[in-house]
């Protein structure tokens, strides 16, 4: 069976995220979103009665959920899952994109935060929620990899903020070196925080 094609509403949310990550919120127009999504222009008002702000907020929230879901996929692709390996996989998503497509795109959540943090409180809140939707599964993954619960969330915050900064530098410099440097320098710190889980005690054989 083939997967059902997403409906116009889902396509417009996705398209808004893709345009925001390239052009920012201010330069992303509703008409451009409809055209990118291949959706009737009149459907915008139907699906997004709150206008552009509603669409932007939903696109930002989608991006946060997408980033959160990617964590499990990154871990599944590692032969030997470690905190450093997880962070390297997160960064590789961007180095691969930049090598293939150039440096035009960044994180839509970061773009919306920069554009709207002081001008649209609802979008700021949507961005904060998106980062939480990314950070929570990342912290849970670190805990599963042996990082103590008390350190997992702070380290997840560090990983996200380091990655976002490296993305910004890479785009400014048109060079993936900042991402490579971030992986090399942060990896040992992440692995040092993980403690091997004790092996389950095996049932001892009873002596006669």
């Amino acid at each position: 069976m083939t997967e059902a094609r997403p409906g116009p509403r889902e396509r417009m949310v996705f398209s808004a995220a893709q345009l925001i990550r390239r052009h920012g919120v201010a330069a992303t127009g509703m008409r451009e979103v409809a055209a990118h999504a291949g959706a009737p222009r009149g459907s915008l008002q139907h699906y997004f009665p709150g206008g552009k702000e509603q669409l932007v907020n939903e696109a930002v929230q989608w991006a946060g959920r997408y980033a959160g879901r990617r964590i499990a996929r990154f871990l599944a692709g590692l032969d030997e899952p470690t905190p450093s390996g997880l962070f390297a996989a997160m960064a590789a998503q961007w180095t691969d994109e930049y090598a293939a497509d150039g440096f035009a795109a960044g994180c839509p959540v970061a773009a919306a935060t920069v554009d709207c943090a002081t001008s649209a409180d609802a979008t700021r809140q949507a961005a904060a929620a998106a980062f939480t939707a990314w950070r929570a599964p990342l912290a849970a993954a670190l805990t599963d990899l042996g990082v103590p619960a008390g350190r997992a969330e702070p380290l997840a915050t560090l990983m996200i903020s380091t990655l976002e900064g490296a993305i910004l530098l890479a785009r400014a410099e048109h060079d993936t070196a900042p991402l490579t440097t971030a992986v090399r320098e942060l990896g040992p710190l992440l692995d040092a925080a993980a403690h091997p889980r004790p092996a389950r005690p095996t049932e001892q054989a009873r002596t006669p």
Side-chain angles (χ1 to χ4, degrees):
M1 295 178 63
T2 59
E3 281 190 36
R5 185 172 184 244
R9 191 183 202 289
E10 292 76 16
R11 297 201 308 272
M12 285 187 283
V13 170
F14 173 79
S15 291
Q18 301 313 305
L19 293 173
I20 289 168
R21 70 194 293 258
R22 288 179 171 271
H23 309 302
V25 171
T28 296
M30 297 286 273
R31 292 182 179 181
E32 288 79 11
V33 170
H36 187 279
R41 190 183 305 173
S43 63
L44 285 164
Q45 182 62 32
H46 173 71
Y47 291 115
F48 305 99
K52 180 177 177 178
E53 182 176 64
Q54 180 187 353
L55 176 58
V56 168
N57 293 352
E58 292 195 25
V60 167
Q61 291 167 346
W62 174 87
R65 294 191 300 270
Y66 174 81
R69 290 193 301 268
R70 292 281 291 178
I71 300 302
R73 294 179 60 184
F74 290 142
L75 283 173
L78 299 177
D79 292 332
E80 295 183 8
T82 61
S84 65
L86 174 56
F87 185 64
M90 292 168 63
Q93 175 187 3
W94 293 93
T95 55
D96 291 347
E97 176 177 341
Y98 291 150
D101 302 324
F103 294 86
C107 171
V109 183
T113 302
V114 170
D115 283 359
C116 303
T118 60
S119 60
D121 194 57
T123 301
R124 180 197 60 76
Q125 292 179 25
F131 279 123
T132 298
W134 185 7
R135 183 170 57 239
L138 180 53
L142 291 175
T143 301
D144 289 342
L145 292 172
V147 175
R151 292 204 67 195
E153 186 167 344
L155 286 177
T157 298
L158 179 62
M159 292 167 73
I160 292 172
S161 57
T162 301
L163 181 60
E164 291 286 9
I167 291 168
L168 183 64
L169 286 170
R171 294 183 73 191
E173 299 172 3
H174 277 206
D175 192 337
T176 58
L179 288 156
T180 304
T181 298
V183 169
R184 183 180 66 244
E185 297 299 325
L186 188 59
L189 183 148
L190 296 173
D191 285 344
H195 304 297
R197 290 183 177 274
R200 290 183 179 180
T202 57
E203 185 178 352
Q204 295 181 353
R206 295 181 180 178
T207 55

